[in-house]
């Protein structure tokens, strides 16, 4: 966007649309609420109405370009089906990639969003919820594009096709600007993969949401905003009410975007919707109650908040256990091997497993570690979180920074007050804190079990969970033991002084 643009960042909802603009699909409620507020009713998920219009038809979308984006995303499972065939030997389809062709057919509709008269662009009239949805759809289209491009590179017929037509069949670019021409096989800029007109849309949307363009949708676009309420005709009242996602009603929620449109993919996304909603609510509730408790030195409230957080984590773990018990895992390895072509094509199996273990750039694990005052594991897990930090919405980044600052670290508080706190209160603090650690270790074990379902050589990847559990176990408090040791030392010194 231009430097003098008055568009707000992702930290707040934009201003009201112009009177002659088409109504937004998402502005029925929450108009004045932070879209990514972690304190919303659905935790770390997008803080917006659960019911959104389909956008399948221009009449249902705020702009015809939005409808074009939605139609393209809905075609990914069908038009990119050959990309899922890891061992496909078909080398001639590159001249007529169906997804590429359909994307170019939508050029006029999509370009119309960012081209306006007298500097007035239709995209500037969209609500922030609609901007985020356009960004979601564009990221998925880019992910499909890069999968098609990588498949094209493996085709021996690509170079001959380029030399004959002079135009790259994937990006539509000509001459040396084609990213997949000749022997070039890797890219540094995701925008090199797509036509210039689509790259401009990604650049504009990236400026609005304040998140960088990446080769494939990150966790924010894959899970946190990738959901909608599936309303029946009898549930019209839900379209205008707040909908809190829980383990009991998650079956009513459907993903907006899919790679393969298979049950295993929906199962994974719905499970993580519950994890982020329930876990996010628990973290924010614990944070809100813990800060005044620590500030006032109220040990009873500190212990109560910790106990409540431990119960919430156990609820998430139990939900995951029930999901594992109720679903056959025999096809999951195949599904995730094919999914890798879209979300992590160049990653090793270990990197891919690490991404799944830490939930990409999900704020849940870093928030829990920061709140409790635990050290986050160094190495690949920390590298993943650091490299993907900018892909988090600004409110999530600010929350993680606040929790990681240590100002309201529960462990630090306990280690400051153990000497002066009455023994009964001290025992309650120790039990409550260690109960949270036990619950967190069980959550890490559940994540490790998820890894074992997705990979054949899961035994080689056990270190992911084991290393993290060791760090959590070493953080256990022994306040009563410290108190007894200090009292014994004090009594010994008193006796020595009395003799003199």
């Amino acid at each position: 966007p231009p430097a003098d643009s008055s568009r707000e960042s992702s930290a707040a909802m934009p201003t009201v649309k112009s009177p002659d603009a088409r109504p937004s699909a998402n502005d029925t409620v929450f108009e004045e609420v932070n879209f990514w507020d972690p304190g919303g009713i659905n935790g770390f998920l997008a803080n917006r109405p659960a019911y959104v219009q389909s956008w399948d038809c221009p009449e249902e979308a705020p702009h015809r370009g939005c409808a074009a984006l939605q139609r393209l995303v809905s075609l990914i499972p069908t038009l990119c089906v050959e990309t899922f065939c890891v061992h496909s030997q078909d080398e001639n389809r590159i001249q007529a990639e169906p997804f590429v062709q359909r994307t170019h057919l939508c050029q006029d509709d999509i370009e119309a969003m960012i081209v306006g008269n007298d500097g007035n662009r239709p995209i500037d009239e969209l609500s922030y919820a609609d901007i985020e949805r356009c960004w979601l759809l564009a990221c998925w289209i880019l992910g499909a594009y890069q999968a098609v491009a990588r498949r094209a590179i493996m085709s021996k017929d690509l170079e001959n096709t380029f030399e004959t037509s002079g135009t790259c069949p994937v990006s539509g670019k000509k001459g040396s600007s084609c990213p997949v021409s000749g022997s070039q096989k890797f890219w540094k800029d995701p925008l090199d993969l797509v036509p210039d007109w689509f790259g401009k849309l990604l650049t504009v949307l990236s400026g609005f949401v304040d998140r960088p363009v990446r080769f494939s949708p990150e966790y924010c676009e894959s899970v946190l905003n990738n959901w909608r309420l599936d309303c029946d005709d009898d549930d019209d009242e839900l379209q205008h009410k707040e909908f809190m996602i829980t383990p009991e009603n998650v079956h009513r929620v459907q993903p907006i975007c899919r790679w393969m449109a298979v049950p295993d993919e929906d199962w994974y996304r719905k499970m993580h919707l519950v994890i982020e909603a329930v876990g996010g609510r628990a973290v924010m509730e614990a944070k809100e109650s813990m800060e005044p408790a620590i500030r006032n030195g109220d040990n009873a409230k500190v212990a109560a908040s910790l106990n409540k957080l431990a119960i919430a984590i156990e609820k998430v773990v139990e939900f995951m256990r029930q999901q594992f018990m109720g679903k056959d895992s025999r096809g999951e390895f195949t599904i995730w091997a094919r999914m890798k072509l879209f979300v992590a094509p160049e990653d090793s199996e270990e990197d891919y497993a690490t991404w799944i273990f830490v939930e990409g750039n999900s704020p849940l694990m870093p928030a829990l570690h920061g709140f409790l005052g635990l050290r986050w594991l160094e190495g690949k897990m920390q590298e993943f979180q650091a490299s993907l930090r900018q892909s988090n919405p600004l409110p999530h980044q600010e929350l993680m920074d606040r929790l990681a600052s240590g100002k309201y670290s529960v462990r630090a508080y306990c280690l400051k007050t153990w000497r002066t706190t009455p023994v009964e209160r001290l025992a309650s603090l120790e039990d409550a804190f260690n109960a949270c650690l036990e619950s967190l270790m069980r959550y890490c074990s559940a994540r490790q079990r998820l890894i074992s379902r997705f990979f054949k050589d899961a035994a080689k990847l056990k270190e992911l969970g084991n290393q993290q559990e060791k760090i959590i176990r070493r953080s256990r408090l022994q306040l009563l033991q410290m108190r007894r040791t200090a009292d014994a030392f004090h009594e010994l010194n008193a006796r020595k002084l009395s003799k003199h």
Side-chain angles (χ1 to χ4, degrees):
D4 59 347
S5 173
S6 59
R7 166 71 66 176
E8 297 180 2
S9 69
S10 59
M13 298 285 281
T15 55
V16 181
K17 304 163 67 175
S18 62
D20 56 345
R22 201 174 284 176
S24 167
N26 289 324
D27 62 4
T28 53
V29 292
F30 294 164
E31 294 91 339
E32 305 300 329
V33 178
N34 185 341
F35 187 88
W36 288 111
D37 181 14
I41 62 172
N42 283 311
F44 295 134
L45 303 181
N47 188 31
R48 57 165 172 78
Y51 175 79
V52 294
Q53 294 177 354
S54 64
W55 281 15
D56 289 328
C57 300
E59 294 76 14
E60 298 175 343
H63 187 271
R64 57 192 175 98
C66 300
L69 292 173
Q70 182 67 66
R71 289 198 303 273
L72 284 174
V73 166
S74 65
L75 290 172
I76 289 176
T78 303
L79 299 186
C80 298
V81 64
E82 290 195 3
T83 306
F84 303 123
C85 301
V86 182
H87 303 292
S88 175
Q89 300 299 320
D90 187 356
E91 298 177 353
N92 299 316
R93 289 297 302 277
I94 185 59
Q95 300 184 50
E97 284 288 348
F99 186 75
V100 173
Q101 289 184 332
R102 292 299 291 267
T103 302
H104 282 281
L105 290 175
C106 296
Q107 177 178 353
D108 291 342
D109 290 341
I110 294 176
E111 261 192 318
M113 297 176 63
I114 55 176
V115 177
N117 298 324
D118 301 326
N120 296 322
R121 303 176 299 181
I123 198 170
D124 295 316
E125 301 296 330
L126 300 180
S127 71
Y128 187 75
D130 289 334
I131 288 288
E132 281 283 354
R133 188 171 174 186
C134 288
W135 170 252
L136 164 73
L137 300 174
C139 287
W140 278 72
I141 294 171
L142 175 59
Y145 238 99
Q146 66 89 13
V148 169
R150 292 176 193 277
R151 173 178 171 270
I153 283 178
M154 294 185 291
S155 171
K156 297 178 182 178
D157 194 49
L158 172 63
E159 189 170 355
N160 294 333
T161 302
F162 179 77
E163 291 177 354
T164 302
S165 64
T167 301
C168 172
V170 176
S171 66
K173 298 180 180 180
K174 296 183 178 182
S176 60
S177 63
C178 172
V180 294
S181 63
S183 60
Q184 184 175 351
K185 296 187 178 182
F186 301 99
W187 311 280
K188 295 182 180 180
D189 188 352
L191 297 179
D192 288 341
L193 291 171
V194 294
D196 292 335
W197 56 269
F198 194 79
K200 291 178 182 178
L201 173 68
L202 287 167
T203 302
V204 170
L205 291 172
S206 175
F208 285 163
V209 302
D210 199 20
R211 300 197 292 278
V213 179
R214 297 192 182 272
F215 283 100
S216 60
E218 291 299 341
Y219 193 77
C220 185
E221 292 78 41
S222 296
V223 175
L224 302 185
N225 193 29
N226 186 25
W227 59 278
R228 62 179 178 83
L229 180 64
D230 191 12
C231 280
D232 299 327
D233 294 337
D234 298 334
D235 300 326
D236 289 340
E237 70 278 1
L238 287 177
Q239 299 181 14
H240 306 287
K241 289 185 177 180
E242 296 179 350
F243 182 81
M244 180 183 293
I245 294 179
T246 65
E248 293 75 27
N249 65 16
V250 71
H251 65 278
R252 307 196 64 174
V253 177
Q254 301 294 331
I256 296 175
C257 305
R258 296 176 173 92
W259 293 123
M260 292 175 287
V262 294
D264 282 358
E265 183 180 4
D266 283 9
W267 171 80
Y268 174 83
R269 301 203 189 285
K270 290 183 181 182
M271 180 172 66
H272 283 81
L273 286 174
V274 172
I275 291 173
E276 298 296 333
V278 176
R281 287 193 294 263
V283 169
M284 293 307 297
E285 185 175 349
K287 171 184 173 294
E288 294 301 323
S289 61
M290 187 66 71
E291 289 183 354
I294 290 179
R295 193 163 48 244
N296 299 327
D298 193 334
N299 294 328
K301 289 186 177 180
V302 170
S305 296
L306 288 172
N307 286 325
K308 199 168 184 179
L309 178 60
I311 293 173
I313 298 175
E314 288 291 345
K315 184 177 180 180
V316 171
V317 174
E318 177 61 20
F319 169 73
M320 294 181 69
R321 188 188 69 81
Q322 292 176 357
Q323 293 295 304
F324 297 153
M325 293 291 291
K327 182 181 176 300
D328 188 350
S329 65
R330 286 176 291 183
E332 291 175 2
F333 165 75
T334 303
I335 295 298
W336 280 94
R338 294 176 177 179
M339 195 91 72
K340 185 176 184 295
L341 299 173
F342 285 87
V343 298
E346 293 184 1
D347 286 355
S348 64
E349 188 176 71
E350 183 180 358
D351 289 343
Y352 190 31
T354 302
W355 187 91
I356 296 175
F357 183 87
V358 300
E359 304 162 64
N361 57 322
S362 165
L364 181 57
M365 289 280 274
L368 284 171
H369 280 70
F371 175 78
L372 294 173
L374 309 182
R375 181 173 64 86
W376 185 234
L377 182 64
E378 297 179 356
K380 286 188 177 295
M381 294 189 190
Q382 190 178 53
E383 292 172 6
F384 266 90
Q385 289 287 337
S387 64
L388 299 176
R389 171 184 167 79
Q390 291 184 341
S391 295
N392 277 315
L394 183 60
H396 290 182
Q397 294 183 37
E398 293 173 346
L399 172 66
M400 289 186 288
D401 288 343
R402 182 178 177 86
L403 294 176
S405 67
K407 184 177 181 181
Y408 293 104
S409 166
V410 180
R411 191 171 191 273
Y413 171 79
C414 293
L415 293 176
K416 287 180 181 178
T417 61
W418 67 273
R419 193 69 184 91
T420 57
T421 302
V423 175
E424 296 79 5
R425 296 288 189 191
L426 199 62
S428 298
L429 278 178
E430 181 179 321
D431 289 343
F433 184 84
N434 290 338
C436 274
L437 297 191
E438 292 292 338
S439 298
L440 187 55
M441 281 193 291
R442 280 190 280 274
Y443 178 67
C444 290
S445 297
R447 301 297 309 176
Q448 185 65 52
R449 185 177 176 184
L450 184 66
I451 298 297
S452 67
R453 295 169 67 99
F454 292 167
F455 298 91
K456 282 184 176 179
D457 300 327
K460 298 180 181 179
L461 304 173
K462 284 186 177 179
E463 286 301 311
L464 289 175
N466 293 341
Q467 291 175 1
Q468 191 60 32
E469 288 182 20
K470 287 179 182 178
I471 286 181
I472 297 174
R473 195 174 292 110
R474 286 199 299 266
S475 300
R476 288 176 59 89
L477 291 178
Q478 296 180 330
L479 301 180
L480 291 177
Q481 180 63 36
M482 292 167 59
R483 183 67 169 270
R484 284 193 292 267
T485 302
D487 289 346
F489 183 76
H490 179 73
E491 183 178 353
L492 179 62
N493 286 338
R495 289 178 180 176
K496 289 181 180 179
L497 292 175
S498 64
K499 289 181 180 180
H500 294 290

